[in-house]
Amino acid sequence: MTEATKGRVAYVYVPNTSTLGHTYFKRYFYPQSDREAIIVDERHNGGGQVADYYIDILRRPTISYWRCATAWT
């Protein structure tokens, strides 16, 4: 996906809309949150709850960025 969109679109696969799906969404969305758009792939979704937490997270404004100092070494 990164190559096809030249890094402009984030891609997040979500296996279900339960706890694991929420964990996957946060884990894979935040590192790509600076992108112009996002594709949330729910194909073969195992079920769970209404995924309104996606919308909640996506509507939040960016307040700050941080990076661990060990990532620079």
Side-chain angles (χ1 to χ4, degrees):
M1 183 61 58
T2 300
E3 298 83 24
T5 65
K6 297 182 176 119
R8 294 174 44 214
V9 178
Y11 173 83
V12 178
Y13 172 70
V14 182
N16 60 43
T17 52
S18 189
T19 304
L20 181 62
H22 193 189
T23 300
Y24 266 58
F25 182 81
K26 292 185 298 182
R27 181 180 300 155
Y28 296 109
F29 169 69
Y30 284 115
Q32 306 177 79
S33 62
D34 62 338
R35 308 248 174 123
E36 296 175 32
I38 182 173
I39 295 172
V40 179
D41 185 352
E42 287 193 339
R43 289 178 289 176
H44 313 292
N45 186 312
Q49 307 158 7
V50 174
D52 59 346
Y53 56 83
Y54 299 159
I55 303 302
D56 180 48
I57 291 171
L58 293 171
R59 294 178 91 186
R60 293 178 189 171
T62 302
I63 296 173
S64 66
Y65 291 97
W66 66 275
R67 179 177 291 182
C68 180
T70 59
W72 295 331
T73 59

